[in-house]
Amino acid sequence: MIAKKQLATLPTPLQELPRLSKALGGPLILIKRDDLTGVGMGGNKVRKLEFLLQDALDQDAKTLITVGAAQSNHCRQTAAVAARLGLDCILVLTEDKAHELDGNVLLDHLYGAEIIWAAEEERNRVFMETAESASREGRKPYLIPVGASNPLGAYAYKAAFDEMQRQIGSREITWLVVASGSAGTQAGLCLGAGLQGWHGRILGISVSSDEHDLKENVAFLANEASGLMEASLRLEPLDILVHDGFRGEGYGLPGDPEWEAMELFARLEGIVLDPVYTARAAAGMISLIREDFFRRGETVLFWHTGGQPALFSDRYTKDYQKFTERRLAAMRG
Ligand SMILES: *Cc1c(COP(=O)(O)O)cnc(C)c1O
């Protein structure tokens, strides 16, 4: 057993999406609500941080230091768990043209995190320098990688897979669809599935990396987590399923398919997706249903990984407004 610090509200709900399923005319769609993990407005990083934080507490750490994009959900969740446990938190965030106090950044401030802005190319150097100076100052830093995707973080999603299996019981799930970024989430799910000899298949929808790199990362992290639990299972990149064809204009840049998916989930099920990860994964899933890749009679489980606070940042509210204007202009011909 690998120890964790209990932080999340688990199990997260597993629900059916009957109206969305009917509207798409394809498989039955289920949803696993990891947007409801309960700490700091939720999301998949809380599960990972339960395991990383136990490790940090075991090492008597006093300051969490991590790194991410300006609207990083991972950084926001790290800031929240630090507050909850009475630790300091330093976030090294990628410089955005206007780093306004909105969306996740607003929450980072509320949770009392210290924010250091760094240009993309400088970020890793600034991260290491921040760690060194925190060490010198006796602040006992604990470093958390991008997305908390290390072996412990991946292991958390092996445990999440087991949780889902207990909820499903004897129901047959043919596909599991999840947004995949720094790969830890998909790695843990694939490890859990592999260890249980699960018959369903797991498809990661890439939000940034190309298929080759993402498969390598997923397999690597799955194997590291397998080693951590002294299991003998090893996965090859070839065993991992990734679709990198829904990346549009790139990371953090939602297009029409993402906004359409957001509206479908919101209008048919009252569920809010996030513009960077889950809307992209949902757009991918919807496209694969329309192409008859996922078929009627099958059951697809969509794993909601959270991220909604980013929606309330200026850049995404403006982006959605532009989308509605584009649609109106198209309707007028
Ligand atoms: C981080 C994140 C992901 C991706 O998880 P990885 O383990 O980095 O692949 C998906 N969705 C949301 C909302 C996230 O914040």
Side-chain angles (χ1 to χ4, degrees):
M1 262 302 261
I2 298 168
K4 70 172 188 178
K5 175 72 191 165
Q6 200 264 313
L7 292 165
T9 308
L10 302 178
T12 57
L14 181 78
Q15 301 165 335
E16 284 196 17
L17 300 180
R19 282 173 33 83
L20 180 69
S21 305
K22 185 156 179 278
L24 293 170
L28 173 68
I29 305 168
L30 307 181
I31 190 164
K32 177 69 171 155
R33 298 293 303 274
D34 272 10
D35 54 323
L36 302 176
T37 50
V39 182
M41 298 198 78
N44 63 338
K45 305 312 182 303
V46 174
R47 282 192 193 268
K48 298 178 176 188
L49 288 165
E50 288 196 307
F51 289 91
L52 274 76
L53 264 288
Q54 184 62 54
D55 187 42
L57 295 173
D58 289 345
Q59 294 179 29
D60 198 27
K62 298 284 181 241
T63 306
L64 306 181
I65 307 182
T66 194
V67 58
Q71 283 297 331
S72 165
N73 302 304
H74 157 66
C75 289
R76 179 253 308 162
Q77 287 163 84
T78 303
V81 302
R84 172 112 161 226
L85 297 174
L87 304 171
D88 288 344
C89 180
I90 309 176
L91 305 176
V92 178
L93 301 182
T94 307
E95 193 112 34
D96 217 0
K97 253 172 276 153
H99 29 85
E100 313 199 13
L101 214 80
D102 59 13
N104 281 309
V105 182
L106 186 147
L107 295 175
D108 296 340
H109 278 268
L110 271 181
Y111 298 135
E114 299 163 45
I115 298 181
I116 298 174
W117 294 98
E120 177 105 56
E121 324 78 71
E122 312 253 283
R123 201 173 71 181
N124 285 339
R125 184 178 59 74
V126 174
F127 182 50
M128 292 323 295
E129 285 174 5
T130 304
E132 282 159 22
S133 61
S135 232
R136 271 198 308 276
E137 293 158 11
R139 299 182 68 187
K140 298 195 182 167
Y142 182 84
L143 305 193
I144 300 178
V146 172
S149 278
N150 62 13
L152 279 173
Y155 178 77
Y157 265 87
K158 182 264 166 204
F161 183 87
D162 296 345
E163 175 186 304
M164 175 211 75
Q165 273 257 288
R166 287 190 293 273
Q167 289 173 311
I168 289 176
S170 58
R171 235 160 145 167
E172 285 277 322
I173 308 276
T174 20
W175 287 94
L176 190 163
V177 175
V178 66
S180 202
S182 63
T185 301
Q186 191 182 356
L189 294 174
C190 289
L191 176 60
L195 288 170
Q196 297 219 11
W198 195 56
H199 289 297
R201 302 171 82 187
I202 297 174
L203 179 64
I205 305 287
S206 176
V207 298
S208 53
S209 310
D210 68 32
E211 183 183 323
H212 174 268
D213 289 359
L214 187 51
K215 284 181 171 179
E216 297 254 326
N217 291 341
V218 171
F220 174 78
L221 282 168
N223 292 336
E224 291 284 301
S226 178
L228 204 63
M229 54 187 292
E230 294 173 17
S232 56
L233 186 81
R234 293 294 175 271
L235 297 174
E236 299 294 329
L238 270 174
D239 302 325
I240 309 299
L241 294 174
V242 160
H243 200 309
D244 69 0
F246 301 109
R247 290 177 297 162
E249 302 287 310
Y251 176 78
L253 300 171
D256 290 2
E258 282 86 355
W259 291 119
E260 281 161 12
M262 290 262 259
E263 285 190 343
L264 278 176
F265 271 69
R267 292 173 184 192
L268 293 169
E269 301 287 353
I271 289 179
V272 180
L273 303 174
D274 82 289
V276 179
Y277 294 91
T278 51
R280 183 154 287 174
M285 177 181 72
I286 290 164
S287 166
L288 292 170
I289 290 171
R290 289 183 176 147
E291 290 167 26
D292 213 26
F293 178 85
F294 298 140
R295 305 221 169 106
R296 194 187 280 269
E298 294 185 325
T299 301
V300 177
L301 187 147
F302 181 81
W303 203 297
H304 195 323
T305 42
Q308 295 99 327
L311 186 57
F312 306 110
S313 68
D314 194 46
R315 64 186 292 186
Y316 294 123
T317 52
K318 285 213 174 90
D319 215 61
Y320 179 57
Q321 192 177 344
K322 281 192 209 129
F323 164 74
T324 59
E325 284 162 10
R326 268 200 305 281
R327 181 170 48 191
L328 213 56
M331 272 161 61
R332 284 165 172 275

